[in-house]
Amino acid sequence: MKTIFLSLFFLAMATCKETTTVYLCNSDGGKKYHLRTDCRGLSNCHYQLISVTLEEAKKQGKTLCKWEK
Ligand SMILES: [Zn+2]
């Protein structure tokens, strides 16, 4: 029973393509979000690295890091 539940859960996660995960440096002055944890812009982040959805990042007024692409 538990296995079926987990399977459905992961299926739901996989089919939900609207949700993009981005990464933030959790500092007060952080205004950017990043697409990868190994981004150049995150290498000098001395704060906690957190992952949020793209929607949440935009809601917080974050813009895409200049090092991306
Ligand atoms: Zn970046």
Side-chain angles (χ1 to χ4, degrees):
M1 198 60 186
K2 198 177 181 182
T3 310
I4 294 168
F5 174 77
L6 282 174
S7 300
L8 288 172
F9 176 76
F10 285 117
L11 187 66
M13 292 286 283
T15 53
C16 189
K17 289 191 166 58
E18 303 290 314
T19 308
T20 305
T21 302
V22 298
Y23 304 94
L24 306 175
C25 185
N26 195 22
S27 65
D28 291 337
K31 291 280 190 290
K32 305 292 182 183
Y33 65 81
H34 308 266
L35 303 179
R36 298 162 311 178
T37 52
D38 63 348
C39 173
R40 196 172 167 179
L42 280 170
S43 62
N44 55 5
C45 175
H46 301 298
Y47 296 86
Q48 188 187 12
L49 186 64
I50 56 169
S51 61
V52 297
T53 62
L54 179 57
E55 196 180 343
E56 181 61 30
K58 285 181 175 174
K59 202 183 294 176
Q60 291 179 25
K62 312 287 186 188
T63 56
L64 181 62
C65 160
K66 64 178 179 178
W67 296 110
E68 307 294 348
K69 285 188 181 180

